[in-house]
Amino acid sequence: MILKLASIFFTMILVDNYVLSKFLGICPFLGVSKKVDTAIGMGFAVTFVMGLASAVCFLVNNFILIPLGLGYMQTVAFILVIASLVQFIEMFLQKAIPSLYTALGVYLPLITTNCAVLGVALTNVQNKYNFWQSVVCGFGTAFGYLIAIVILAGIRERNANNDVPTPFKGSPIVMITAALMAMAFFGFANLAI
């Protein structure tokens, strides 16, 4: 059981990284990765939402939707769970860490529509994961997102001080950097257990 959970966790971080291999959650990934500290804050917010959403969506699906024959309502129910969790995080950050709340700006509410969060909840259902596998998959996916966004933010901070050719300044160099990161993470593909 522990080996299976570890396999799911590390596979979601390295092999099936949602941002770099499935290209889910790209909008906040590219938008919030200008500074490392903001990227870390966004990564932890996504980690909290994704981990908790995996657990709550598993419970909602297995104890409400399926027993009532409402399996076709999974997507709607999962979106409502995710929206509620994001609202909770938004209120918490606004009160507890206003500087991070301001820095994240519009990207914090975008977690609600972040397809990576919904994607992990649906992946858990499709793979027929039990509760603990769902939670580990959620946190593994979120940790992979955190790693990817922090790496991209670090590279973007360094690129700001480099002499980048004019046609590549701004979005083009960010897209090239993200593509190179995706190719680098592709090297972990043979590690899947």
Side-chain angles (χ1 to χ4, degrees):
M1 179 67 173
I2 300 287
L3 184 61
K4 176 69 174 170
L5 293 177
S7 172
I8 292 170
F9 185 74
F10 288 109
T11 297
M12 298 315 293
I13 293 172
L14 299 172
V15 179
D16 288 336
N17 187 300
Y18 269 39
V19 175
L20 300 174
S21 70
K22 297 186 187 299
F23 308 110
L24 296 174
I26 295 291
C27 181
F29 175 69
L30 296 175
V32 183
S33 61
K34 292 178 184 163
K35 294 186 176 195
V36 172
D37 53 343
T38 308
I40 290 171
M42 180 63 156
F44 280 121
V46 168
T47 300
F48 179 77
V49 170
M50 207 175 277
L52 210 56
S54 295
V56 174
C57 288
F58 175 85
L59 297 173
V60 166
N61 188 51
N62 288 307
F63 295 108
I64 296 174
L65 298 178
I66 292 176
L68 295 175
L70 299 172
Y72 59 90
M73 295 291 291
Q74 284 174 342
T75 304
V76 174
F78 292 172
I79 290 172
L80 289 173
V81 166
I82 293 164
S84 302
L85 290 171
V86 170
Q87 188 65 37
F88 171 73
I89 279 197
E90 195 170 357
M91 291 186 307
F92 173 77
L93 287 179
Q94 192 173 14
K95 296 285 184 194
I97 314 170
S99 60
L100 180 59
Y101 174 78
T102 305
L104 292 175
V106 71
Y107 294 102
L108 188 58
L110 278 178
I111 297 174
T112 302
T113 58
N114 187 339
C115 52
V117 181
L118 179 61
V120 77
L122 294 173
T123 297
N124 291 337
V125 171
Q126 289 170 350
N127 291 339
K128 296 181 173 67
Y129 285 156
N130 64 31
F131 179 77
W132 292 112
Q133 290 171 331
S134 296
V135 171
V136 167
C137 180
F139 278 110
T141 302
F143 194 63
Y145 182 89
L146 172 67
I147 289 171
I149 197 169
V150 169
I151 291 172
L152 182 63
I155 293 171
R156 285 181 76 173
E157 281 186 358
R158 289 189 63 141
N159 277 346
N161 300 326
N162 290 337
D163 187 25
V164 177
T166 306
F168 292 106
K169 286 187 179 186
S171 297
I173 195 68
V174 174
M175 298 300 270
I176 291 169
T177 303
L180 291 172
M181 285 176 57
M183 287 191 294
F185 269 69
F186 185 69
F188 293 116
N190 291 331
L191 293 178
I193 297 174

